[in-house]
Each structure stands twice: as structure tokens, then as C-alpha cells.
Amino acid sequence: MPEESNGSEKPKKKEVLDLLEDKSKIASRRQRRRAQLEQEEAAEEERKRNSVEEQKKNALDLFSDDKPKKKRGGAARKANVLPPISKLKEEEAKKAEAASSSDTLAAVLASAGIAPGAEKKTDEPAEKDAPAPAAEKAAEVAPVEESAAAGDEKLISLKPPVVIKDLAAAMGLKPLYLIKDLMEMDVFANPDQSIEPDVAAKLCEKHGFAFEREKREKGGGVHKVEEVIEEPEAPKEEPKEQLHLRAPIITFMGHVDHGKTSLIDRIRDAKVVAGEAGGITQHIGAYSVDHNGSKITFLDTPGHAIFTEMRARGAGVTDIVVLVVAADDGIMPQTEEAINHAKAAGVEIIVAINKMDLPAANPDRIKAQLQERDLSPEDWGGTTICVPVSAQTGEGIDELLDMMALQAEVLELQANPKANARATVIEARLEQGRGATATVIVDSGTLRPGMPFICGPYNGKIKSLINDRGEKVKEAGPAMPVEVLGFSETPHVGDELVEMKSDRDAKKLSAERLEEARRQKLESPKRTRLEDIFSNIQDTSQKKRLKVLLKGDVQGSVEAICNALGDIKSDKIDLDIIHSGAGPISENDVLLASASDAIVLGFSTKLESSAVRVAKREGVQVKIFSIVYELIDQVKDAMLGMLDQETRENVVGHAEVKQVFKSKKGKAAGCLVIDGKMDRTGHARLLRDGMVVYDGDLGTLRRFQDDVKEVKTGVECGIRLGDYNDYEVGDIIECYHLEKLKQSL
């Protein structure tokens, strides 16, 4: 039984295995068939790709207009750009040629007896054989068109520098493909970098393009043309409808301590003179006053002799000059100078005879002096207005203001507040915490915060406008004095502030002017001459040099002091101002003085705390003055102190050696005073046969055994000359004194 069961199970297993084997064989045949079909399709596609006609078709498809390459942002840009007229004409010509070729093809088909479209319904062999003559004739036209189109579109023309992303856009490729090709050529670059034209030509050749380097026009460069920025010109004539009346600018001028600032204080109800060192004005002050509903601008100029330039600037920007003359003092040198400045500026002059409250006041003498200087008073039949006033009592102040207003009405002063803003700098300073500031008077236009400007070689942007009372204002019109904050550097006094279109233009123009100033300093070197070499040798051997670093509170005072110091002339010593500027004395100033072996002088300015420590450490002398003539006198004394002391010999007597004695300390000469006297405190000189043998101190002077101070004519004495022992009978001993002479520059 077991054997039968085993025998019956084996056929069943075999049948099951056969069924499974057949199913697997069936499945494998399907897979093989599918793989065969796929191979055939792949081979057919490969044959198509390898055919010449297919390659031409693919190359033409790259440049066909039916399927343009999608470029990042390119479609949006091209949609807004119209093609050139030449391109439109070429397209019309191509369409006409295509139409003629299609007509030719239709005619060939008709002659062959084939209806249009019949070749599509026939079998495949018929499709290949029937249109052969037509295809040949069409091929005669088509390749010419294709080659012409391909020749036009395969040419890439770019101007250097050739940027990778621009070249890729011209090829219709992504930049990464060109970067890959460049890496194979050992060139590493990003899409925004440029490559050499030779490398670009190789890339174009690799991708089937021809690269042509486009030539630039003569005079055209790679970089854009530099924009020339110029300062806006002042209009020669303003439109009459835009002109408006403006406030008059009145300058008070005169001699020092004649009461100019006191008069302005009386008018303004202020006490400016109380804050001035020594009671004298040393800066230009600008103020604005309301009188009967109209504005008046006042300028106060210093009267000291060294402030000539300040007075000249005051006369240059003013409309009316008020000449202040003290009734008890008369016309002084600075008064005459002020008259000359006013006449040179061509402005009207009003004379204010001040200090009429004093008992010694004599206005008639003042008028007589004015008459001598071609300023005839009105009450003497002339045209010059003379007003007696008193700053202490207020006498004549209202009359003086009325005369100013009347004169301003006669002048009909007008300005255009809407014109390009222009202002004149009358004072400049460097303040801690505020930077470079300047007091300006607006000539035309209106200044406003945020306005870019150029002032001389420096640019800026108005940060704030402050009036004469310390209040911030939003705008400043013509003839209004304001303090301007926002300068890049401290401007030069007298420069003109001009409004610019933009901050960029102002900065660029400032850079050009600074570069031009630097170039002018360097382009004209001084040539050396033999005379200069000899004079320099003499100067270095004889002349001494005092080096000074000067700092002041405002730029105008610094310029005036520099000019005054430059007027100190000396053949024995030179004064060298190594640096000058407005602002507090800083640590850098002290270090510069230490390196230059100079002294630091300050005028009405402060010394920073850090500079105090550095000055003590470096041993630099720092002196600060509040009165200008004290500073000038100190500099002169310092120059005198550096000079070598000069002496002069004064012979007091002669003695003749009669006998030579020996003593314990050496030899002594017994002498007879033949003229004058022998003085113990003087110097002695031993003469032998007219030659100087000894010159030095007179060591011992005795009369018998006693030391004496002097021995007169006809008296015998004993003399020892220091350590000298070689006396001979007949020698002459000359006694003299050295007198110190007072030095002069």
C-alpha cells in the first residue's frame, strides 16, 4: 500500500510542475516579445536620430520661431520690444518665397496626376516614390532658405566685455552649461563674470555658433561717459514778477571802542558787549531786528587793527554802512579804513556820532573831519546823513532807525525767494557736539533743512537752521542771518553756499574740487637755485624758528590772527604756523605740536580733557588767550626770548706791568694804572706787542696786602689773571666790561 501511494503521488507532482513550467514559459515569452518590440522601437528612433535629415531638422528647430526656448524673464522683455523694420522685411520675403515654393510643389503634383493630399491616402511605398520629383524640386529651394536662415541666426555678435549669462542668453542655453564647458577648459567663473573674446569664440564653436566681436564706435569706451557736474550759475536777471522786497543788510563799522556793539545792543535790547573779552568785539555778529513791521539785518564788525579782512567782508555783503564815530575821540585809523572799504564796495554811508552824553563830545569837529574825507554832512549842504546818538541814554536811536528804513526804501532792495538758494558765509566755527557750523546771510532763494549744498570745496546737507536768538527755524529767506549745521568740513569765510540738485551731485563736485586743489599744490614744484641754497645755508646757521599751532573759536578770527602773526617781520627769527583751525584744542593738536616741537596757542577756545593729560605727558606748552592783542604781544616776547644775547665791550682802563713777583699760588704782576681804572668785577686782557696773549677774568686785585674792588689812575697795584703766570715787564693789562644789549626783531 505504501508503494502504490508513492507511485500515484509522483505523476501528480509532475503534472503540477509541468503546469507551472508551462505558465512560466508562457510568461517568459511575453516578456521576450515585449523586450523585442522595445528594442525595435529604440533602433528605429536611433536610425531616425542618426539620419542627416533629422539632424538638420533638429538644428533648425533650435532656432525656429514656432517653439521658442523659454528663458527666465526673457518673454516679458521681448514682448515689449518691437522688431526692427529690416527684420519685418526679411520675414515678408521668406513668406513670399515659401508661398512660391508651395505653388511649385502643387504644380508638380498636378502634372503627375496626383491630387493634393492624395499622397497621404496611398500606401507607404507610394508615399516614398510618388513625390520624389516634387521633393527634389522643393529641395532645391528649401536648402537655400535654410542655409541663409541658419547663417543669420548662428552668428553671435557681442560687445566686450563678454558676460557669461549674456552669451548663454544669445545661444538660448542656461549659463550652467557654459560654466561646465569652461571648467573643462580650466576656466572657473560665475554667470556674472566676463570672459575673454577668444574663450567665448571657442564656446560658440563648440555649440555650433560663430562668434563675432562687435566693434565700438570711435571714441566709445567700455565704461559709460562721465557725467560733468557743475555748480548752478547765478541768474543774471530775475523775472520781475518773482521779485519781492527784502530786508536791508546794515553793517556797523568804525574804530575799536567807539561803541558799535553797544549801539546794536541798545537797538536789540541785548547785552552782547558784556560777553566780549576786554569789552571789544573780536568776531562778526549778525542780528535781525523788527522795526515798525519791517525786518532789518545788522552786522557788527570788529574794530581792532588786525581784523581788516573782517571789515572788508562786512562791507562786501552789506547794503548800508553805519560809520560809528565817538564824539569825544574823532576819526581814527580804523575809521578811515572802514570809510575806504565802504567806498570800494559802493554802498551808502550813514554816520552815527556816538557818545553824545559825554561832556567832551564835539560833533562839529567830527563833521569837519568827515568833510575832509569827501563825506559832506547834510546840514552842511552835503549828502551824508549824520545822526547824533548815545548808546548809554538811547538818544537818537529812533531817528537812526528811521534813517536806515528811509535809505532802504530809496534803494528798493529786492530778491527772489523761489530762486536757487545762495548764501554768503560771514563766520565759521567747529563746535563740539555740533560739528562744523557757519553763520550765513541768504542772498537769494530760501534755505530749508535737508537741502544739499556746495560751499567752496566742501559739501553738506542742511541739518538745522538757527536764528540769532538761538531758536530753530524751518526756513531762511533773503537777507536773513542764520547759523547752518551740516557742513562736512569747516568752510572758508567769504565762500558762497549754493544749493545743489542732489546730495550725490554735491559730494561728487566736492571731491572734484578737493582733488583739483591737491593737484595744483603738487603740479608746480619750486626749482632749486644756487642763490636759494646759499640763503638756506645761512638761514639754518643763523636764523632760529618759532613753531606755533593756532586754534580759535571761529574761522574768521583765526585768519585775522594768522595774518597779524605773518606781519611780524624779523631777520633773526622766523615764525612758522604749522597748523591753524577753528574749534577746541584736541589731543591730536597736542600730539602734532609735540612731534613738531611747537607751542599751542588758543584764542577764545577750550582745551579738551584728553588734551590736558597728553600735554602734561608730552611736555607741550598750551596757552589760551581771550584778548587778541595779548596773544600778539606774547608771541613777540617769545620770539625775542629765543634770540641769542648780544653783548658789547666797554673798556674801563689800562695798567702797565712794572715788575713780576713770585707767590705761593704762582706769579703776580706789579702794575701801574696808566688810564681809567682797574675793576675787580670786570674782564681783563693781556696785550704784548699789540697781540692778545690772555683774555679772561681778572682773578686778583690787591693794593699792598689788601684786596680791593678797584684801583684808579696813577696808583700801583698787584694783579693776577686767573691761572696765567707768563707775565713780562712792559705788558699792558686792559680792563673791560661786557654790557648786554636789548634785542629787537
Side-chain angles (χ1 to χ4, degrees), residues 17-284:
L17 292 173
D18 291 340
L19 290 173
L20 293 174
E21 184 178 0
D22 294 338
K23 290 179 180 179
S24 63
K25 289 179 180 180
I26 294 170
S28 63
R29 282 197 300 270
R30 290 177 180 174
Q31 291 176 358
R32 286 196 300 272
R33 181 60 180 169
R34 190 180 296 111
Q36 185 177 0
L37 291 174
E38 290 176 357
Q39 291 178 0
E40 290 176 357
E41 291 176 358
E44 184 65 19
E45 290 177 359
E46 186 68 23
R47 284 194 300 273
K48 290 180 179 181
R49 282 197 298 269
N50 293 335
S51 64
V52 177
E53 294 296 329
E54 190 65 25
Q55 287 182 359
K56 289 183 179 180
K57 185 175 183 303
N58 290 337
L60 293 175
D61 287 343
L62 290 175
F63 304 97
S64 64
D65 295 333
D66 297 336
K67 296 180 181 180
K69 294 285 183 179
K70 292 184 180 180
K71 301 175 185 177
R72 190 175 300 173
R77 288 193 298 269
K78 290 183 178 180
N80 297 328
V81 181
L82 293 175
I85 296 175
S86 58
K87 188 71 176 178
L88 294 175
K89 291 182 177 180
E90 291 179 1
E91 291 179 357
E92 291 178 359
K94 290 179 181 179
K95 288 180 181 179
E97 291 175 359
S100 62
S101 62
S102 62
D103 294 342
T104 305
L105 179 61
V108 172
L109 292 175
S111 62
I114 301 173
E119 66 277 1
K120 296 182 180 179
K121 297 179 181 179
T122 57
D123 295 337
E124 185 176 356
E127 291 178 0
K128 294 181 181 179
D129 298 334
E136 291 177 0
K137 292 184 179 181
E140 295 175 0
V141 181
V144 177
E145 297 174 0
E146 290 179 358
S147 61
D152 291 340
E153 294 200 11
K154 282 195 173 187
L155 182 65
I156 295 177
S157 179
L158 290 177
K159 297 178 182 179
V162 181
V163 182
I164 294 177
K165 63 180 182 181
D166 296 340
L167 182 61
M171 291 184 181
L173 302 174
K174 291 184 178 181
L176 61 94
Y177 294 110
L178 298 186
I179 293 174
K180 180 181 177 182
D181 296 337
L182 288 172
M183 293 176 66
E184 294 176 356
M185 300 167 62
D186 293 333
V187 177
F188 299 91
N190 58 44
D192 294 325
Q193 288 182 340
S194 60
I195 56 177
E196 295 293 331
D198 298 339
V199 179
K202 292 180 180 179
L203 290 176
C204 292
E205 184 180 357
K206 184 174 182 180
H207 291 276
F209 295 91
F211 178 77
E212 181 183 12
R213 181 176 178 178
E214 185 174 341
K215 295 182 179 180
R216 295 185 178 273
E217 297 179 359
K218 185 177 182 181
V222 176
H223 303 288
K224 62 180 181 181
V225 179
E226 291 292 334
E227 182 182 0
V228 179
I229 298 175
E230 296 180 352
E231 178 184 310
E233 295 183 358
K236 296 181 180 179
E237 186 176 354
E238 295 283 357
K240 293 184 178 180
E241 60 273 7
Q242 296 182 1
L243 294 176
H244 299 278
L245 291 175
R246 65 170 176 85
I249 302 174
I250 300 174
T251 302
F252 281 68
M253 303 177 71
H255 193 69
V256 62
D257 201 26
H258 275 200
K260 299 181 297 298
T261 308
S262 300
L263 275 176
I264 296 179
D265 288 350
R266 189 75 182 187
I267 295 171
R268 298 178 63 238
D269 293 330
K271 293 182 179 180
V272 176
V273 71
E276 295 284 358
I280 61 173
T281 302
Q282 301 175 112
H283 313 89
I284 287 184

Side-chain angles (χ1 to χ4, degrees), residues 8 101 211 245 263 276 288 303 310 362 431 490 578 614 706:
S8 62
S101 62
F211 178 77
L245 291 175
L263 275 176
E276 295 284 358
S288 182
M310 287 191 180
N362 187 0
E431 298 183 11
T490 306
I578 62 173
V614 176
D706 301 326

